[in-house]
């Protein structure tokens, strides 16, 4: 996931776009604030407050929005309007608006200025750092927020401040990972996913189904222990699904359990657990449980990324990005076998850069690396997606052309040769380096049952091309050709 920079002026929206975005932000925060207010109990303490977490997630995903004071003003006006429409006293409204803005603003500043947090949550420590910053911001804003509830409901100030802190941490833990890991353009991806042939089975849906079943079971059985019923299904989801899906399911668990605890749905908590401190303790426990699957999903994401890097290192040449010798031989033999079964002609090209050793001796090995990378790029521009190309060692490349006759293969070899020689390579020191290559071509026949025998014929043709003066291609069994004709 890439975050939008605020360094470029062309990313700044026009005044019409600013007004439209500001209006949308106002409507979003206003609606979420009313939704959070609807979860307030008799003591004016909200069970769940999604507005702060949602706006923080949006500003972290869109740094250009977070850098514009006009959008922060729209958010502030939304908080004010949501409280005033519920006939909250003006002092309480001002304190709550200040507390919400302070919480979001401080968390935004901490996360955008910190070099120790990965906002894509693809590092194991990322989610813990995220929660730590959110807890710090919630603690700082707990004084004005707790004071507002103290003035309005008459509850003890330490209790209202602690409730503000807990509500903030729980809401951030549930919502923020979903927004930070959400894929770009989700509507288009969902539409493409819907129209593509699906290969998912019922077994793929088992972790999510078990999570829903455990949540329902916790309501039916009741008791404090039922809060932990979904823990194992959540960990199974973390091991089975991508990070975003795990965060989404964890958010579902958090919201479901919060309302099950605070509403008399099925007697999840004993009757003697109605004290405010008991409820706050349970809500902190829910947030702690929610951290486990997201942390596990972060670890899995980091592991999968490391495995992908190792696989790429094992399959591809690190310098040119082409297949390495072993992978080219394995994939090439498999492709050759399939073409033989389907009776398609298959050809092989062996390419060797002319006079490459003097390049290293004269210009240095860095210039030699530049030449190899440039040759690999020019080869790719000529080949089809179905063709295989690998670096076989040093300055030698191998190309496998499925469904390609001898005449077609020779024509491809000429196009590759001309692509390499078409223009000099400009080195970092400003010097120009002329590149040419010699190619040998061989096509599968009765005497070439495998790739090794085909490569030997191509190597023989390559030797003939070099012996004839280099910068030319030669096909095995064909008479020598002059590239100038």
């Amino acid at each position: 996931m890439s975050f939008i920079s605020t360094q470029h002026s062309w990313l700044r929206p026009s005044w019409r776009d600013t007004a439209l975005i500001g209006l949308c932000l106002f409507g979003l925060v206003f609606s979420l604030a009313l939704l959070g207010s609807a979860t307030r109990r008799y003591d004016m303490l909200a069970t769940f407050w999604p507005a702060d977490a949602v706006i923080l997630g949006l500003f972290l995903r869109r740094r250009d929005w977070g850098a514009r004071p006009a959008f922060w003003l729209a958010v502030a006006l939304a908080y004010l309007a949501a409280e005033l429409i519920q006939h909250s006293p003006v002092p309480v409204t001002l304190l709550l608006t200040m507390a919400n803005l302070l919480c979001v603003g401080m968390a935004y500043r901490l996360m955008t200025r910190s070099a120790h947090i990965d906002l894509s949550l693809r590092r194991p420590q990322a989610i813990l750092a995220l929660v730590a910053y959110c807890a710090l911001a919630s603690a700082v804003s707990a004084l004005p927020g707790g004071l507002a509830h103290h003035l309005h409901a008459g509850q003890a100030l330490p209790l209202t401040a602690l409730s503000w802190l807990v509500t903030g941490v729980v809401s951030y833990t549930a919502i923020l990972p979903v927004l930070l890991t959400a894929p770009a353009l989700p509507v288009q991806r969902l539409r493409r996913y819907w129209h593509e042939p699906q290969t998912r089975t019922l077994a793929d849906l088992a972790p999510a189904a078990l999570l829903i079943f455990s949540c329902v079971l916790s309501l039916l059985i009741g008791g404090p222990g039922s809060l932990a019923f979904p823990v194992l299904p959540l960990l199974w989801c973390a091991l089975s699904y991508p990070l975003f899906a795990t965060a989404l399911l964890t958010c579902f668990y958090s919201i479901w359990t919060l309302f099950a605890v605070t509403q008399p749905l099925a007697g999840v908590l004993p009757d003697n657990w109605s004290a405010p401190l008991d409820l706050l303790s349970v809500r902190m426990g829910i947030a702690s449980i929610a951290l486990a699957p997201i942390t596990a999903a972060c670890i899995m994401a980091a592991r999968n990324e490391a495995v992908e890097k190792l696989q790429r290192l094992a399959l591809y040449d690190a310098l040119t990005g082409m297949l390495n010798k072993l992978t080219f031989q394995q994939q090439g033999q498999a492709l050759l076998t399939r073409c033989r079964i389907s009776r398609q002609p298959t050809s092989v090209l062996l390419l060797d850069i002319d006079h490459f050793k003097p390049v290293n001796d004269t210009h240095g090995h860095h210039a030699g690396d530049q030449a190899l990378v440039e040759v690999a790029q020019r080869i790719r521009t000529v080949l089809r997606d179905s063709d295989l190309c690998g670096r076989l060692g040093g300055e030698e490349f191998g190309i496998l052309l499925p469904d390609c006759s001898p005449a077609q293969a020779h024509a491809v070899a000429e196009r590759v040769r001309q692509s390499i020689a078409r223009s000099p390579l400009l080195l970092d020191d400003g010097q120009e380096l002329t590149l040419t290559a010699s190619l040998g071509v061989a096509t599968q026949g009765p005497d070439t049952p495998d790739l090794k025998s085909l490569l030997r014929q191509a190597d023989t043709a390559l030797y003939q091309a070099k012996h004839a003066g280099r910068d030319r291609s030669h096909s095995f069994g064909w008479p020598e050709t002059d590239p100038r004709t």
Side-chain angles (χ1 to χ4, degrees):
M1 180 181 62
S2 60
F3 296 94
I4 295 183
S5 172
T6 60
Q7 301 295 323
H8 303 287
S9 59
W10 60 270
L11 288 176
R12 299 181 182 275
S14 64
W15 68 269
R16 290 184 179 178
D17 294 334
T18 300
L20 180 60
I21 296 172
L23 184 61
C24 291
L25 289 175
F26 177 89
L28 177 64
V29 175
F30 180 77
S31 302
L32 292 175
L34 290 180
L35 178 63
S37 299
T39 67
R40 287 173 175 167
R41 306 191 309 274
Y42 63 91
D43 55 2
M44 288 299 293
L45 299 176
T47 299
F48 190 64
W49 189 257
D52 291 359
V54 170
I55 201 65
L56 176 60
L58 287 178
F59 282 175
L60 289 175
R61 287 294 297 261
R62 292 298 303 261
R63 299 287 184 85
D64 53 332
W65 291 4
R68 295 184 69 83
F71 295 157
W72 288 95
L73 178 61
V75 172
L77 292 176
Y79 283 129
L80 286 170
E83 292 297 332
L84 291 175
I85 202 173
Q86 299 175 86
H87 307 291
S88 298
V90 174
V92 172
T93 298
L94 294 177
L95 282 173
L96 288 176
T97 300
M98 181 179 70
N100 286 314
L101 289 176
L102 179 61
C103 188
V104 176
M106 184 173 181
Y108 176 80
R109 184 173 181 84
L110 287 173
M111 294 180 192
T112 53
R113 297 299 177 88
S114 174
H116 304 289
I117 183 171
D118 175 18
L119 291 179
S120 65
L121 302 186
R122 296 191 175 275
R123 296 294 179 268
Q125 300 83 4
I127 186 63
L128 301 180
L130 183 77
V131 173
Y133 287 139
C134 291
L136 179 58
S138 299
V140 172
S141 64
L143 181 58
L147 181 59
H149 289 298
H150 167 71
L151 294 176
H152 194 54
Q155 296 287 324
L157 180 58
L159 179 61
T160 56
L162 181 60
S163 178
W164 180 277
L165 169 63
V166 172
T167 301
V169 172
V170 172
S171 301
Y172 282 126
T173 303
I175 294 178
L176 204 52
V178 177
L179 296 176
L180 294 180
T181 59
L185 303 176
V187 175
Q188 287 84 341
R189 290 195 178 193
L190 183 62
R191 188 176 302 166
R192 186 167 59 250
Y193 178 84
W194 180 265
H195 291 289
E196 287 178 354
Q198 303 304 319
T199 58
R200 292 195 177 275
T201 62
L202 291 178
D204 297 323
L205 302 177
L210 185 60
L211 174 63
I212 297 174
F213 174 75
S214 64
C215 289
V216 175
L217 192 64
S218 66
L219 291 180
L220 297 177
I221 295 178
S226 63
L227 296 177
F229 286 179
V231 171
L232 290 180
L234 282 172
L235 291 176
W236 191 12
C237 292
L239 298 176
S240 305
Y241 297 144
L243 184 54
F244 170 66
T246 301
L248 198 61
L249 292 170
T250 304
C251 181
F252 160 76
Y253 158 78
S254 301
I255 297 175
W256 174 279
T257 312
L258 280 173
F259 282 96
V261 167
T262 56
Q263 305 296 331
L265 294 177
V268 174
L269 296 180
D271 295 336
N272 60 352
W273 277 37
S274 58
L277 286 179
D278 293 333
L279 293 177
L280 291 178
S281 175
V282 172
R283 289 161 69 187
M284 282 302 298
I286 294 172
S288 301
I289 291 176
L291 282 178
I294 299 179
T295 303
C298 292
I299 295 174
M300 288 298 298
R303 171 196 171 274
N304 294 337
E305 185 177 343
V307 169
E308 289 177 2
K309 289 181 179 179
L310 289 175
Q311 288 178 339
R312 182 163 186 84
L313 289 174
L315 298 178
Y316 294 91
D317 175 60
L319 179 62
T320 62
M322 289 188 166
L323 297 175
N324 59 30
K325 182 177 181 179
L326 179 61
T327 307
F328 176 79
Q329 291 176 341
Q330 292 175 343
Q331 295 186 10
Q333 181 58 55
L335 180 58
L336 194 67
T337 302
R338 291 196 299 269
C339 290
R340 178 184 286 274
I341 294 174
S342 59
R343 297 183 179 181
Q344 294 179 347
T346 307
S347 301
V348 164
L349 311 182
L350 270 186
L351 182 149
D352 191 86
I353 303 176
D354 296 330
H355 307 294
F356 185 74
K357 187 176 183 303
V359 173
N360 286 328
D361 296 340
T362 305
H363 302 281
H365 289 278
H366 178 67
D369 290 344
Q370 279 188 269
L372 290 171
V373 171
E374 181 64 23
V375 167
Q377 292 176 349
R378 296 184 183 186
I379 291 174
R380 290 191 187 97
T381 61
V382 178
L383 301 182
R384 304 167 296 180
D385 293 338
S386 58
D387 299 331
L388 286 183
C389 186
R391 183 184 175 195
L392 306 185
E395 66 273 22
E396 188 176 60
F397 296 85
I399 303 170
L400 185 63
L401 306 173
D403 193 16
C404 188
S405 66
Q408 292 171 330
H410 190 83
V412 172
E414 278 299 294
R415 289 200 297 271
V416 170
R417 183 189 64 80
Q418 293 168 6
S419 175
I420 294 173
R422 71 173 183 266
S423 60
L425 169 64
L426 183 64
L427 300 177
D428 290 343
D429 58 3
Q431 298 186 60
E432 290 187 348
L433 180 64
T434 300
L435 297 173
T436 61
S438 302
L439 295 95
V441 185
T443 302
Q444 186 180 27
D447 54 343
T448 52
D450 53 23
L451 182 60
K452 288 185 178 180
S453 58
L454 195 59
L455 287 173
R456 282 196 296 268
Q457 290 186 355
D459 188 60
T460 301
L462 174 61
Y463 174 80
Q464 294 172 344
K466 288 184 175 183
H467 183 72
R470 303 179 187 271
D471 188 21
R472 65 191 65 214
S473 59
H474 185 78
S475 295
F476 183 82
W478 282 30
E480 295 184 6
T481 57
D482 189 333
R484 295 171 295 181
T485 62

